[in-house]
Amino acid sequence: MARIKTDILVIGAGSGGLSVAAGASQMGASVVLLEGHKMGGDCLNFGCVPSKALIAAAKQAYSMNAGEPFGVTPVAPEVNYAAAKDHVHKVIETIAPVDSQERFEGFGVQVIREYGRFVSPSEVQAGDHLIKARRIVIATGSSPFVPPIPGVDEVTCYTNENIFDLRERPEHLLIIGGGPIGMEMAQAHVRLGSKVTVIEGLKALGRDDPEAAKVVLDKMRAEGIEIVEDALAEEVGEDGGRITVKTSQGAFTGSHLLMAVGRTVNIEKLDLHKGNVAHDRAVKVNGSLRSISNRRVYAVGDAAGGLQFTHVAGYHAGVIIRSMLFGLPSKAKTSHIPWVTYTDPELAQVGPTEAEARKIHGSALAVARFDYHENDRAIASRKTTGFVKVMVVKGRPVGATIVGEAAGELVGVWALAIANGLKMSGVAAMVAPYPTLGEINKRAAGAYFSPRLFESENVKRVVGIVQRLVP
């Protein structure tokens, strides 16, 4: 058994673990990084990167049949599904060197390609290595959850971990789960030539602003996606190569099944009890992302039990590096964390939705809004469906909902404003180039001030006095 002593041990080479390892090693700490599967974790290999690559391929196919309003004769695309998957894997291969073992070894990180498990509060075993560390970071991410629906173990059930390896285009893809992953994959596949049925036990995109979600769902239904809501899956079966999902709303039969109902945090292999690490579905941490039972241990990303986004894991890395390396107080916040569903149109959110903000702030809440159809660039591009809605308290934005073209890009302005406590006047003062979609944010901020300026008798009185008295 090889014994290793290190300042920081990182378990998991996904977004959060890699960020901790790179930052800590380059600032002088000794770092050991464990990864029992693929460098880059879920995001690079099975999640964000391949899904957005497939969405990009689907968008190209869709655009070929959507040119008539621009004077371009529509042409039915000839989709090579296997070649689209080649594109997906080429994208992964292009990005992979950034997350590679060789790159991190170049930073001075000792990379061990084994799973780790606690053997004491300060020691982790990984294969033939026993690592004793001053600080241990759990960054193990999560895996797709497959619910125990009767019959599901007897059929071929795809998840995000293997759908991108499928080479044959599904004739009729059944998707259980109407959240972001399910809806993104539904639209991608219908645009690539599959028939798609989404089966959702509650409401599709049910965690988002209902008004914004409706814009997305209307567009998806118009593209031919069948979305069945309030349909709890009760049984799954396969007969003659056809898969049937029985639900409370009837039975649905297709050629392939994709499960997209949520995620399970990867902590089952860690033997957390031997490390005195309290946990339930994830590691129990305090506001500094430190274990509530073992001060040596931190958790980041999905392992910390909060928002499950790649960018959150990266943000968490910065939080704990400040604490681990410099001994400075540092706490994780969620109020400024944005997230995006990459459908067409995109759906983006930062902070609370309007309904959530009303529960929190009551009558103190003001809502500013601007619609895409009033933006010149959106009109020129025929991307006029959508809106931005900003939740404002005492002149400061606390949340924003955007649905429409490039919503994921536009939401960054509001994430910046919320993170830095900026006022709406700061966004209103921004000069956006014309014509851009970025003007939508500026106009939304202006919509907050318009009634205060143009409908105020006090303002009109002051203007009147100035015009009479000032030469």
Side-chain angles (χ1 to χ4, degrees):
M1 181 76 66
R3 295 181 178 274
I4 300 170
K5 286 188 177 182
T6 187
D7 293 327
I8 298 172
L9 169 64
V10 181
I11 307 175
S15 173
L18 292 177
S19 296
V20 171
S25 63
Q26 292 180 90
M27 284 188 277
S30 61
V31 181
V32 174
L33 173 65
L34 306 182
E35 177 52 63
H37 194 25
K38 292 187 176 184
M39 295 289 290
D42 185 84
C43 180
L44 172 63
N45 298 289
F46 315 115
C48 316
V49 171
S51 64
K52 277 55 194 178
L54 191 68
I55 287 169
K59 187 174 184 179
Q60 291 297 319
Y62 179 76
S63 66
M64 294 181 67
N65 200 31
E68 187 172 2
F70 299 93
V72 179
T73 301
V75 178
E78 294 184 10
V79 175
N80 184 327
Y81 187 79
K85 290 299 181 67
D86 289 339
H87 156 69
V88 169
H89 288 285
K90 286 177 183 176
V91 170
I92 295 172
E93 291 170 6
T94 301
I95 298 173
V98 177
D99 294 347
S100 68
Q101 178 174 339
E102 293 75 16
R103 180 168 183 259
F104 279 78
E105 288 175 338
F107 292 148
V109 177
Q110 182 175 355
V111 181
I112 299 173
R113 303 300 296 274
E114 298 281 357
Y115 290 106
R117 60 181 181 85
F118 282 86
V119 294
S120 79
S122 62
E123 295 173 306
V124 170
Q125 183 175 341
D128 294 330
H129 301 84
L130 183 65
I131 305 109
K132 184 178 181 63
R134 294 186 66 253
R135 300 284 182 263
I136 300 172
V137 180
I138 299 173
T140 47
S142 62
S143 300
F145 172 62
V146 178
I149 303 169
V152 74
D153 293 334
E154 300 171 13
V155 305
T156 301
C157 178
Y158 288 92
T159 68
N160 72 291
E161 289 190 344
N162 56 7
I163 188 69
F164 299 110
D165 293 326
L166 179 64
R167 306 285 296 176
E168 173 191 353
R169 180 175 62 199
E171 178 265 320
H172 184 177
L173 180 63
L174 304 176
I175 301 176
I176 297 180
I181 295 173
M183 302 315 289
E184 288 177 1
M185 288 298 95
Q187 192 172 45
H189 278 83
V190 80
R191 289 181 167 190
L192 291 172
S194 298
K195 182 179 179 181
V196 178
T197 299
V198 177
I199 301 166
E200 167 57 44
L202 297 172
K203 299 296 180 186
L205 299 176
R207 295 185 178 180
D208 290 287
D209 178 279
E211 182 186 11
K214 184 178 184 301
V215 174
V216 175
L217 297 176
D218 285 350
K219 177 67 160 58
M220 296 182 78
R221 287 187 169 107
E223 291 188 25
I225 300 169
E226 182 182 17
I227 304 171
V228 186
E229 298 178 300
D230 299 311
L232 190 66
E234 298 174 341
E235 186 179 350
V236 177
E238 186 170 359
D239 183 22
R242 306 292 290 177
I243 295 175
T244 297
V245 179
K246 295 180 180 179
T247 79
S248 54
Q249 299 289 338
F252 303 89
T253 300
S255 59
H256 294 72
L257 174 64
L258 172 64
M259 195 68 68
V261 296
R263 311 280 300 174
T264 300
V265 178
N266 297 327
I267 57 174
E268 70 283 350
K269 296 180 180 179
L270 293 174
D271 286 348
L272 292 178
H273 62 286
K274 294 182 181 178
N276 190 30
V277 180
H279 62 283
D280 42 28
R281 66 176 188 85
V283 178
K284 291 185 177 182
V285 295
N286 59 22
S288 299
L289 302 173
R290 204 167 197 166
S291 166
I292 64 171
S293 57
N294 183 345
R295 288 182 55 79
R296 291 179 180 269
V297 174
Y298 294 79
V300 298
D302 294 3
L307 297 172
Q308 295 184 327
F309 303 111
T310 295
H311 49 285
V312 171
Y315 162 64
H316 281 176
V319 171
I320 69 168
I321 282 177
R322 178 181 172 91
S323 172
M324 289 193 305
L325 298 188
F326 301 106
L328 298 173
S330 185
K331 292 187 179 297
K333 301 185 297 181
T334 59
S335 60
H336 64 305
I337 301 294
W339 60 92
V340 185
T341 300
Y342 295 91
T343 47
D344 178 13
E346 291 181 353
L347 176 55
Q349 182 71 40
V350 60
T353 64
E354 180 180 358
E356 291 166 344
R358 291 197 182 282
K359 289 181 180 179
I360 298 168
H361 300 288
S363 60
L365 179 73
V367 178
R369 179 187 178 115
F370 192 79
D371 293 336
Y372 271 62
H373 67 76
E374 297 184 75
N375 173 266
D376 292 355
R377 181 61 180 274
I379 293 169
S381 304
R382 291 186 177 269
K383 297 291 186 180
T384 55
T385 300
F387 60 83
V388 57
K389 182 163 54 174
V390 186
M391 282 52 74
V392 187
V393 177
K394 296 180 180 179
R396 299 182 190 275
V398 296
T401 299
I402 307 179
V403 60
E405 178 75 3
E409 309 298 330
L410 295 178
V411 78
V413 167
W414 301 107
L416 173 69
I418 293 170
N420 292 281
L422 302 182
K423 294 183 178 181
M424 291 294 283
S425 57
V427 180
M430 173 185 69
V431 178
Y434 175 88
T436 60
L437 293 177
E439 290 183 288
I440 294 173
N441 284 331
K442 178 179 173 66
R443 293 291 297 273
Y448 172 74
F449 292 105
S450 293
R452 291 161 176 81
L453 293 174
F454 303 141
E455 299 172 17
S456 169
E457 292 302 320
N458 289 334
V459 170
K460 293 177 180 179
R461 190 176 302 112
V462 170
V463 170
I465 292 172
V466 171
Q467 297 310 305
R468 290 194 303 272
L469 300 180
V470 177

